[in-house]
């Protein structure tokens, strides 16, 4: 029997698609949803399932930003063979994304058992949601929002890329929340911070999904639920990306801060009442 049914896979796909790129912690929301549906959150195949359906969300980024990604990859390819092309910002940016992904790969492999074990507790998720909210609010207030996407430097990319480690070690912190907050502290405007978060998420999340694939397609998760969850994640994530970019163009991150605090406080009460197993 599959650990996850087709209906549960569809629900988890919706949750993943909505929350992956919003700064609210997709991992936290997936753990909560799995717990409410009595899915064993610490099961290896379930951990793998949640990582694989992220690939659906990443595919949505690839489709949504296809022109930008094609331009950057093309510039990178030209720069590899033509020295004069190496002054192109897109060529440099491609390398920066690669370099900025290395730290989270190293930490992810080294701390895998820790992340899947004690750091996966709902207490950690709840605390990270609340603490991360404070960090996001402070970053939005501190940032001067004066630098655009063309102003991104190697230093920016590395600092924002390294901030993904926070979300890896403390699931409720949110990868998007950590990267956007760091970018705001570096004075990038909200639009540039959001787009940089998207681009840095592509290699990290794709790699995690492919790495966990072997566990997800094991005996306890069927291929059909996995396909359904991934497909639903793609469709919902595409709509979520479009909405988020429009939202940050005119609004601060305060709505997300308030939402995270409410969810974090509520989550602290669920294990205590026995509604969820921490």
């Amino acid at each position: 029997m599959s650990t996850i049914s087709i209906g549960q896979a569809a629900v988890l796909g919706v949750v993943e698609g909505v929350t992956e790129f919003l700064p609210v912690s997709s991992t936290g929301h997936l753990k909560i949803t799995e717990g409410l549906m009595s899915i064993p959150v610490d099961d290896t195949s379930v951990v793998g399932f949640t990582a694989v359906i992220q690939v659906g969300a990443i595919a949505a980024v690839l489709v949504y930003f296809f022109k930008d990604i094609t331009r950057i990859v093309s510039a990178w390819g030209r720069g590899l063979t033509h020295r004069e092309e190496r002054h192109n910002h897109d060529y440099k940016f491609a390398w920066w994304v690669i370099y900025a992904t290395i730290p989270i790969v190293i930490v992810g492999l080294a701390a895998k058992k820790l992340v899947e074990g004690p750091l996966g507790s709902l207490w950690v998720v709840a605390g990270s949601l609340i603490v991360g909210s404070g960090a996001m609010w402070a970053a939005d207030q501190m940032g001067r929002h004066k630098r655009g996407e063309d102003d991104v430097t190697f230093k920016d990319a590395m600092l924002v890329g390294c901030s993904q480690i926070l979300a890896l070690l403390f699931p409720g912190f949110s990868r998007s929340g950590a990267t956007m907050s760091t970018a705001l502290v570096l004075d990038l405007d909200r639009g540039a911070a959001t787009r940089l978060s998207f681009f840095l998420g592509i290699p990290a999340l794709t790699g995690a999904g492919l790495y966990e694939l072997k566990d997800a397609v094991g005996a306890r998760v069927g291929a059909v639920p996995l396909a359904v969850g991934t497909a639903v994640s793609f469709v919902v994530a595409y709509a979520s990306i479009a909405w988020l970019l429009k939202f940050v163009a005119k609004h601060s991150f305060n709505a997300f801060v308030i939402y995270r605090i409410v969810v974090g406080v509520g989550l602290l009460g669920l294990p205590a009442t026995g509604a969820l197993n921490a």
Side-chain angles (χ1 to χ4, degrees), residues 189-202:
D189 61 47
R190 296 186 185 98
T194 303
R195 287 172 62 88
L196 180 58
S197 175
F198 284 143
F199 290 128
L200 286 174
I202 293 173

Side-chain angles (χ1 to χ4, degrees), residues 60-201:
V61 173
L62 295 176
V63 173
Y64 193 91
F65 292 108
F66 181 76
K67 291 183 178 179
D68 296 293
I69 294 171
T70 300
R71 187 189 74 244
I72 293 169
V73 172
S74 296
W76 183 70
R78 291 194 304 272
L80 291 177
T81 55
H82 298 85
R83 184 180 297 274
E84 64 274 12
E85 294 288 341
R86 297 175 187 175
H87 297 291
N88 187 315
H89 185 269
D90 287 335
Y91 170 79
K92 296 177 183 178
F93 184 75
W95 276 116
W96 298 344
V97 170
I98 294 171
Y99 295 147
T101 303
I102 294 174
I104 192 173
V105 171
I106 295 173
V107 175
L109 293 174
K112 187 175 188 294
K113 291 184 178 180
L114 190 63
V115 171
E116 294 177 353
L119 291 179
S121 164
L122 290 180
W123 297 117
V124 175
V125 172
S128 300
L129 274 166
I130 296 171
V131 173
S133 299
M136 184 181 298
W137 179 84
D140 206 11
Q141 299 301 310
M142 291 168 55
R144 290 178 286 180
H145 314 292
K146 66 177 185 178
R147 301 172 59 211
E149 191 172 352
D150 291 338
D151 299 315
V152 172
T153 65
F154 172 69
K155 176 183 175 181
D156 297 329
M158 289 302 298
L159 289 174
V160 174
C162 286
S163 72
Q164 296 179 111
I165 295 173
L166 280 173
L168 175 68
L169 298 179
F170 305 102
F173 208 94
S174 166
R175 191 202 66 82
S176 296
T179 52
M180 291 179 190
S181 296
T182 303
L184 289 174
V185 171
L186 295 170
D187 294 331
L188 292 177
D189 61 47
R190 296 186 185 98
T194 303
R195 287 172 62 88
L196 180 58
S197 175
F198 284 143
F199 290 128
L200 286 174

Side-chain angles (χ1 to χ4, degrees), residues 14 18 25 36 41 44-45 85 91 118 128 139 151 165 168 173 177 210 224 231-232:
V14 171
V18 170
S25 174
L36 292 174
V41 298
T44 303
S45 61
E85 294 288 341
Y91 170 79
S128 300
D151 299 315
I165 295 173
L168 175 68
F173 208 94
L210 295 176
V224 175
V232 171

Side-chain angles (χ1 to χ4, degrees), residues 22-23 140 190-191 194 240-257:
L22 301 186
D140 206 11
R190 296 186 185 98
T194 303
S240 179
I241 293 168
W243 176 83
L244 180 61
L245 289 172
K246 291 180 181 179
F247 180 86
V248 298
K250 298 180 180 179
H251 302 85
S252 71
F253 288 119
N254 289 344
F256 297 119
V257 170

